[in-house]
Amino acid sequence: MILQNFDLLTSAPAEFVRLLIMVAFGLIIAITVHEFSHAYVAHLRGDETARLHGRVSLNPLAHLDWMGTLMLFVAGFGWGKPVPVDSNYLRAPVRLSWAAVSVAGVFSNLLLAAVISLPIRLGLVGYPFGNFGTLLAYMVQINIVLAVFNLIPFPPLDGFNILSAALPGKIMRPLVPVMRWGPFILFGLILIDNFSRTNVLGTVIGWPVNHLTMGLLGLG
């Protein structure tokens, strides 16, 4: 996200700083809401682990992960600090509870994007003119990127947890080693994707992100 606009640092430094501030604000809000939603739904479904770790909170410091946040800034893909969930405490049916916790983050970002888009969609805020309208548009896009990216079925993303809830344990158990190394593998794939300019991940999530963003902003 910032990497794609890095040339602005020399050609238009003021615009680069403006972009950096808007992206940072949007990311902090999106990640905080995403991770809070995981923690809160886990609490509702009987597991107090996240609450005891201080994660049922809208304090951004409780949820930001340095690697995931850096990737969101640099590449437009990333994640927050994983919310601890103990399936032993989740209410039965455990798979339904686990799926609800996993879906909560994605749903919260889509809902937040829909709410933030309303001032632009209803014509109350001008876009693409004006800092406030631009900020809202960035926040809509960031929330949609976070939601769609997290649906990819690869650990530690929500899509993998949703898949784990849907598939039998005998299928998921062999994937435990991948789960352990998943964040580092994902980190490497994102870096390779950006610096090799293959943009595989961007291609995978680009279509739904663009269409959802344009649709919510009333530009589609």
Side-chain angles (χ1 to χ4, degrees), residues 19 22 25 36 61 63 66 69 71 79 88 107 115-116 125 130 159-160 170 176 194 207:
L19 173 64
M22 288 185 174
F25 183 79
F36 163 80
L61 296 178
H63 304 294
W66 72 268
T69 305
M71 283 296 95
W79 54 89
N88 292 313
F107 177 78
V115 172
I116 293 172
V125 174
F160 184 81
K170 63 181 179 181
V176 170
N194 276 267
W207 188 89

Side-chain angles (χ1 to χ4, degrees), residues 53-128:
H53 281 78
R55 303 299 300 278
V56 183
S57 168
L58 288 174
N59 179 359
L61 296 178
H63 304 294
L64 296 181
D65 174 84
W66 72 268
M67 185 185 293
T69 305
L70 177 64
M71 283 296 95
L72 274 164
F73 268 104
V74 172
F77 312 111
W79 54 89
K81 189 187 302 180
V83 170
V85 179
D86 191 334
S87 58
N88 292 313
Y89 297 110
L90 291 173
R91 291 198 186 99
V94 174
R95 284 195 180 188
L96 177 61
S97 292
W98 189 257
V101 172
S102 301
V103 169
V106 172
F107 177 78
S108 69
N109 285 126
L110 292 176
L111 179 61
L112 184 58
V115 172
I116 293 172
S117 71
L118 286 177
I120 294 177
R121 190 175 182 86
L122 297 175
L124 302 176
V125 174
Y127 177 77

Side-chain angles (χ1 to χ4, degrees), residues 110-153:
L110 292 176
L111 179 61
L112 184 58
V115 172
I116 293 172
S117 71
L118 286 177
I120 294 177
R121 190 175 182 86
L122 297 175
L124 302 176
V125 174
Y127 177 77
F129 308 106
N131 286 333
F132 188 56
T134 303
L135 172 61
L136 293 180
Y138 268 122
M139 291 179 70
V140 169
Q141 185 179 43
I142 287 168
N143 274 278
I144 292 174
V145 167
L146 196 61
V148 174
F149 177 65
N150 268 282
L151 283 174
I152 297 174

